């Protein structure tokens, strides 16, 4: 296991933690509105623009680090001699940017990385239900964020739903990243003995 992959993994997990914290603060802001907690509302209101900016910045940082991490994680499974991979290292990155295909190919990329890291060469006949759940939430998140962005004044319920989906999505993504990291460390240790 390379030091670069370790640093990349922990940097991505840290930035995801920051993003998760900012999403949580935004959710608390909306809860304080719905429960009419005026003191909490005004306290967060003073900082909400900065929180929004940092949320966007942390999201962009997560996206960039995720692409680097996916490339390196796939490269690691390839280096470990795992056979019958469906994607190249570069495909792990560029499928995120291909119109229409980008709605399902990245799912298969993440699934391949996760399962090949976990099961070595026996990965093809395995499944990972929570990756399906993660990808479904990812697509729902895109849809909700698009709707929220298009509406002049989205409802509190719609905003809260979007934030809850983003929160759960982030938790699942952290689980995927940490699991792949653990699986690849296990492969690295068993191959070196």
């Amino acid at each position: 296991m390379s030091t670069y992959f370790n640093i990349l993994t922990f940097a991505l997990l840290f930035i995801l933690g920051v993003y998760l914290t900012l999403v949580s603060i935004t959710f608390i802001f909306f809860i304080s509105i719905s429960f009419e907690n005026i003191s909490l509302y005004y306290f967060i209101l003073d900082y909400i623009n900065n929180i929004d900016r940092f949320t966007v910045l942390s999201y962009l940082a997560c996206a960039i680090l995720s692409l680097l991490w996916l490339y390196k994680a796939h490269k690691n499974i390839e280096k470990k001699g795992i056979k019958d991979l469906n994607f190249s290292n570069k495909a792990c990155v560029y499928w995120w940017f291909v119109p229409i295909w980008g709605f399902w190919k990245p799912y298969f990329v993440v699934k391949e990385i996760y399962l090949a890291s976990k099961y070595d060469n026996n990965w093809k006949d395995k499944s990972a239900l929570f990756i399906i759940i993660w990808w479904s939430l990812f697509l729902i998140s895109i849809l909700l964020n698009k709707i929220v962005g298009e509406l002049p004044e989205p409802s509190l319920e719609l905003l809260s739903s979007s934030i809850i989906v983003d929160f759960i999505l982030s938790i699942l993504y952290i689980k995927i990243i940490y699991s792949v990291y653990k699986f690849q460390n296990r492969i690295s240790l068993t191959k070196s003995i």
Side-chain angles (χ1 to χ4, degrees), residues 1 5-6 9 12-13 69-77 80 109-119 128 130-131 172-188:
M1 186 70 55
F5 184 68
N6 292 340
T9 300
L12 180 55
L13 289 172
W69 184 86
L70 288 167
Y71 177 85
K72 186 61 179 162
H74 196 274
K75 198 171 190 172
N76 285 345
I77 60 174
K80 299 302 177 196
V109 166
V110 173
K111 179 181 172 189
E112 178 175 284
I113 291 170
Y114 179 84
L115 293 175
S117 296
K118 185 174 183 179
Y119 297 109
F130 84 92
I131 294 198
L172 289 175
Y173 192 47
I174 288 169
K175 170 140 176 57
I176 291 169
I177 292 165
Y178 186 71
S179 296
V180 168
Y181 174 76
K182 249 183 12 186
F183 298 147
Q184 289 194 0
N185 265 335
R186 175 188 46 84
I187 291 171
S188 177

Side-chain angles (χ1 to χ4, degrees), residues 57-72:
L57 286 174
S58 63
Y59 184 83
L60 291 173
C62 285
I64 292 167
L65 287 173
S66 290
L67 293 173
L68 294 170
W69 184 86
L70 288 167
Y71 177 85
K72 186 61 179 162

Side-chain angles (χ1 to χ4, degrees), residues 12-132:
L12 180 55
L13 289 172
F14 175 78
I15 296 294
L16 274 166
V18 169
Y19 176 75
L20 201 56
T21 302
L22 294 170
V23 166
S24 300
I25 291 169
T26 306
F27 184 68
I28 291 169
F29 176 71
F30 288 115
I31 291 293
S32 68
I33 292 171
S34 64
F35 287 120
E36 298 177 0
N37 185 338
I38 301 303
S39 59
L40 185 59
Y41 170 76
Y42 283 115
F43 176 74
I44 296 177
L45 186 62
D46 290 339
Y47 300 101
I48 199 68
N49 287 334
N50 291 332
I51 291 169
D52 286 346
R53 284 188 202 104
F54 284 126
T55 303
V56 169
L57 286 174
S58 63
Y59 184 83
L60 291 173
C62 285
I64 292 167
L65 287 173
S66 290
L67 293 173
L68 294 170
W69 184 86
L70 288 167
Y71 177 85
K72 186 61 179 162
H74 196 274
K75 198 171 190 172
N76 285 345
I77 60 174
E78 193 177 74
K79 280 183 182 178
K80 299 302 177 196
I82 296 173
K83 296 173 179 39
D84 298 326
L85 298 173
N86 298 325
F87 298 98
S88 69
N89 299 328
K90 291 178 184 173
C92 293
V93 174
Y94 70 68
W95 278 120
W96 290 89
F97 300 101
V98 178
I100 314 254
W101 292 79
F103 286 114
W104 70 85
K105 284 292 190 177
Y107 159 76
F108 289 107
V109 166
V110 173
K111 179 181 172 189
E112 178 175 284
I113 291 170
Y114 179 84
L115 293 175
S117 296
K118 185 174 183 179
Y119 297 109
D120 300 333
N121 284 314
N122 301 322
W123 73 272
K124 284 244 181 196
D125 58 344
K126 307 292 185 193
S127 66
L129 178 62
F130 84 92
I131 294 198
I132 294 170

